[in-house]
Amino acid sequence: MSDSINSQSSIRERVLKSVSLMIATFVAIVAIVNLFITHNYLLATVEASISGLFIWMHYKICKFQPLTWQPAVGALLITFGLLHGFNTAPENTNIIFWAYPLPALYQLFFSRTIGAVSTFSMLGGIILIYYPEAIFQFEVSHSLINFILPYIMIWAVAYNHEGIHLSIQEELANLARTDNLTGCLNRRALTQDWNNISQHTGQYLLHIDLDDFKAINDCYGHEAGDLALKTFTSVAQRVLENSQCYRVGGEEFCLLFRSDSNNDALELSQNLGLTLRETTIHVSNGDINVTLSGGLLPLAANEVWPLDVAIKAADEATYQAKNAGKNRIVFCPQAKDN
């Protein structure tokens, strides 16, 4: 999956890409009608501006350029154009029905909250223009009720659709960041989180490799190997409660956690190894105990650690732990040149 799954704005821009040309074309036709038939030159100018803006938005999205102020300006121009039309059009034109697409457009252009505020602000403006007696004399006509109810229903559908869309988007983003076997985070999540996490004072990177993992798979089967991975994840989350656990390879994990000193961080890491070793894993054809080897890397807040450099340094320390007899943590001093 692409990183765009994590970005609400990128999803919105993809929707805008598909509808921007349609809106631009439709508004351009209305602008031509107002220019040559109704001779409403101000409204035609606004509509031509809207059409041009949406063509520009489509171009920017096609060129993978982010939209910043353009959707907000587009919404303002559409709102201004409709309010102007409401004030100037003859009563028998029924131009008021052009307000019905606005709730959906506001939800597309803005967030749910701002879209809702815009929707009901526009509703207030329409009532003030067409039904002033409802505000000043508290007289509610059947015509007003027949307008308001569909308008609010359209908003409710768009608002709830956006809420469901955001919920599904968040769920998909979490799935894309999660290892489906162990339930911990994956390497993609580590890449996304790295810049925010690695610069914090007192942060440590612990690179873990489960010892003799291939032998476990060969002797006890892959189900035993999977259970060993799940057991490590459970132990890591229990021993290092405030850590972030990432599975970055088959039997490789990275843990990010905070500690007050190098000695405390090393002690916590060794306690993780001890707890895992003492945890018996029951499989169909016997019981097994798993050990780990790891490299511990301190991440100083005043140093920049690219992710690949940090993992390489911690992996080298893990390799030293393997060569020293496994079942141990090797402390990796900070590299002087990153």
Side-chain angles (χ1 to χ4, degrees), residues 42-322:
L42 176 59
L43 189 57
T45 301
V46 172
E47 290 163 346
S49 301
I50 295 172
S51 180
L53 178 62
F54 276 92
I55 291 174
W56 185 32
M57 289 167 59
H58 180 82
Y59 172 81
K60 285 177 68 68
I61 296 172
C62 289
K63 294 296 182 180
F64 302 100
Q65 299 175 8
L67 299 178
T68 52
W69 51 267
Q70 292 88 356
V73 172
L76 290 174
L77 287 174
I78 291 174
T79 302
F80 173 80
L82 284 177
L83 288 175
H84 175 73
F86 294 158
N87 276 303
T88 58
E91 292 185 3
N92 59 354
T93 58
N94 293 323
I95 192 176
I96 189 175
F97 295 118
W98 283 89
Y100 282 134
L102 289 178
L105 289 177
Y106 286 145
Q107 290 296 145
L108 177 61
F109 293 148
F110 303 118
S111 64
R112 292 181 80 203
T113 302
I114 299 177
V117 171
S118 302
T119 295
F120 286 96
S121 297
M122 186 61 171
L123 179 59
I126 293 172
I127 294 175
L128 183 63
I129 295 172
Y130 282 96
Y131 306 97
E133 67 279 1
I135 297 177
F136 301 109
Q137 301 174 12
F138 302 103
E139 295 180 3
V140 179
S141 64
H142 291 291
S143 175
L144 175 59
I145 294 175
N146 288 331
F147 170 76
I148 288 180
L149 290 181
Y151 184 88
I152 293 179
M153 288 178 63
I154 293 171
W155 166 79
V157 171
Y159 184 84
N160 285 295
H161 177 272
E162 181 71 4
I164 295 172
H165 160 257
L166 292 176
S167 176
I168 294 175
Q169 181 182 337
E170 182 178 358
E171 183 178 350
L172 289 174
N174 289 334
L175 287 173
R177 288 168 47 86
T178 303
D179 177 62
N180 57 6
L181 174 64
T182 63
C184 69
L185 298 170
N186 56 23
R187 191 182 188 101
R188 183 176 188 270
L190 178 59
T191 302
Q192 293 174 341
D193 298 344
W194 180 253
N195 289 335
N196 292 329
I197 294 176
S198 63
Q199 306 304 321
H200 294 167
T201 303
Q203 197 79 33
Y204 290 82
L205 171 66
L206 176 60
H207 180 271
I208 294 293
D209 190 285
L210 300 186
D211 296 329
D212 303 314
F213 186 74
K214 184 177 184 301
I216 294 174
N217 281 330
D218 292 341
C219 295
Y220 296 95
H222 288 282
E223 290 184 3
D226 291 347
L227 188 56
L229 295 172
K230 295 177 182 178
T231 299
F232 167 78
T233 301
S234 176
V235 170
Q237 292 173 343
R238 187 171 70 250
V239 175
L240 297 175
E241 294 181 354
N242 297 320
S243 68
Q244 292 279 15
C245 182
Y246 304 85
R247 185 184 178 196
V248 296
E251 68 273 21
E252 294 182 56
F253 294 83
C254 283
L255 288 93
L256 286 163
F257 64 96
R258 290 190 182 187
S259 185
D260 295 331
S261 67
N262 291 346
N263 289 335
D264 288 344
L266 183 59
E267 183 178 347
L268 286 170
S269 302
Q270 291 172 338
N271 187 36
L272 170 61
L274 176 62
T275 304
L276 179 65
R277 186 181 66 202
E278 294 178 346
T279 301
T280 301
I281 303 173
H282 304 286
V283 296
S284 58
N285 51 347
D287 295 337
I288 58 176
N289 293 85
V290 181
T291 61
L292 60 81
S293 299
L296 181 62
L297 175 68
L299 304 170
N302 60 347
E303 295 186 8
V304 177
W305 281 95
L307 177 58
D308 56 342
V309 175
I311 290 182
K312 181 179 179 181
D315 184 55
E316 290 175 354
T318 304
Y319 183 75
Q320 295 175 18
K322 294 280 190 183

Side-chain angles (χ1 to χ4, degrees), residues 23-45:
I23 294 175
T25 302
F26 189 76
V27 174
I29 293 173
V30 177
I32 293 172
V33 171
N34 283 320
L35 180 63
F36 295 105
I37 299 178
T38 65
H39 304 293
N40 192 331
Y41 301 116
L42 176 59
L43 189 57
T45 301

Side-chain angles (χ1 to χ4, degrees), residues 10-29:
S10 65
I11 298 294
R12 180 168 281 109
E13 288 174 6
R14 290 163 70 179
V15 176
L16 278 171
K17 178 182 178 182
S18 64
V19 301
S20 56
L21 279 182
M22 179 180 65
I23 294 175
T25 302
F26 189 76
V27 174
I29 293 173

